[in-house]
Amino acid sequence: MNNLFETITQNALYVLEFAVVILALFAASYITEKLIKKKTGSTERILATRKIAMIGMFSAIAAVLMFFEFPLPFAPSFYEVDLSELPILVGSFAFGPVAGVMMEFVKIVLKLLLKGTSTAFVGDLANFVIGCSLILPASILYQILKTKKGAVLSCILGCFCMTLFGTAFNAVYLLPAFSKLYGMSLDTILAIGTEVNPFVKEANIISFVCFCVAPLNLLKSSVVSIFTLLIYKPLSPIIKTGHRIVSK
């Protein structure tokens, strides 16, 4: 815990950036969900007390899944994939986009408390915002189209947004941030991609993100979406039952 506080102090700028992004995403999700509820005539509170326990449970499952990471052969070893977005996407389908952002945030907080950060919060910020780029579009569309077809379209939209945003975010922010953090030239980092993926051109960040990062995000979002589509309906009665129990 002391190490975590020391890291926060030493990397105050990244922590501040993290806080601003969290607030912006939470505000965007809240306003959007409020508009959807107004349009559909729903009177349920966005952050009703009965949701909190369920949000906590899904966040805890997601945090555990973060510990099971595995590399992919077409990307450098510092890119690892986990399926922590699976319970969050299921939970956001059930409870809405605000709950989705909260679950992403709580997941990262639990991970930091249990494991700390090895990237001065840069990797944690990336995990949060890229996860939200899948969760938010998918859950927002599903709140509008609560049908089987709507669920499929929501997952497709989420996959597209995560792949596009994750690729651009790596090129514009994440890779330069890692370069600065570790005192390595950007070309040195890109060279690692060239070693593992023949399609990555030397010292070319565009080819790096297109052939290493984009396939990774597409694969992860697709796997998460497919599993969500398979398990959400069977789990829905259980989630709703738990929802009712918590509300008593």
Side-chain angles (χ1 to χ4, degrees):
M1 183 68 72
N2 290 334
N3 289 337
L4 180 59
F5 287 137
E6 289 176 9
T7 306
I8 291 173
T9 304
Q10 294 168 0
N11 300 279
L13 178 59
Y14 289 126
V15 175
L16 180 60
E17 290 176 351
F18 206 157
V20 170
V21 170
I22 290 168
L23 290 174
L25 287 173
F26 184 82
S29 63
Y30 184 87
I31 292 170
T32 304
E33 189 166 343
K34 198 79 172 176
L35 291 172
I36 293 172
K37 286 187 177 297
K38 183 177 181 180
K39 184 177 181 180
T40 58
S42 173
T43 57
E44 184 182 13
R45 290 174 57 195
I46 291 177
L47 290 176
T49 305
R50 61 186 180 178
K51 290 183 180 181
I52 301 302
M54 298 299 289
I55 289 173
M57 182 184 73
F58 281 103
S59 301
I61 296 171
V64 171
L65 289 176
M66 282 193 77
F67 287 87
F68 298 93
E69 299 177 307
F70 51 92
L72 293 172
F74 54 79
S77 58
F78 52 80
Y79 283 108
E80 292 186 314
V81 173
D82 64 69
L83 297 180
S84 60
E85 265 63 55
L86 174 57
I88 296 179
L89 185 56
V90 171
S92 64
F93 271 19
F95 306 124
V98 172
V101 174
M102 289 184 66
M103 286 184 277
E104 282 286 349
F105 173 67
V106 175
K107 175 193 77 172
I108 295 298
V109 171
L110 290 174
K111 180 264 178 184
L112 289 172
L113 291 174
L114 294 171
K115 193 177 179 181
T117 178
S118 59
T119 61
F121 301 103
V122 176
D124 306 296
L125 172 61
N127 187 287
F128 175 77
V129 296
I130 294 175
C132 285
S133 71
L134 166 66
I135 300 302
L136 275 180
S139 61
I140 289 171
L141 182 58
Y142 186 70
Q143 294 304 303
I144 299 171
L145 300 173
K146 288 192 174 183
T147 63
K148 186 175 181 180
K149 182 179 179 181
V152 173
L153 291 175
S154 298
C155 286
I156 291 173
L157 176 63
C159 289
F160 174 79
C161 290
M162 181 174 175
T163 302
L164 184 63
F165 176 80
T167 302
F169 185 73
N170 269 265
V172 174
Y173 176 84
L174 191 57
L175 288 170
F178 274 127
S179 174
K180 181 180 179 181
L181 176 66
Y182 292 114
M184 300 171 61
S185 70
L186 187 56
D187 287 349
T188 301
I189 296 176
L190 299 179
I192 301 174
T194 306
E195 293 175 2
V196 299
N197 192 323
F199 293 102
V200 178
K201 297 179 181 179
E202 187 173 351
N204 187 307
I205 195 170
I206 300 301
S207 65
F208 183 97
V209 295
C210 286
F211 293 109
C212 291
V213 179
L216 183 149
N217 284 320
L218 179 59
L219 178 63
K220 176 177 178 176
S221 60
S222 297
V223 171
V224 167
S225 295
I226 290 169
F227 275 106
T228 298
L229 292 172
L230 290 174
I231 68 175
Y232 178 67
K233 282 300 180 184
L235 284 179
S236 184
I238 301 173
I239 296 172
K240 290 177 181 178
T241 301
H243 204 143
R244 290 195 294 269
I245 291 172
V246 170
S247 67
K248 292 181 180 179

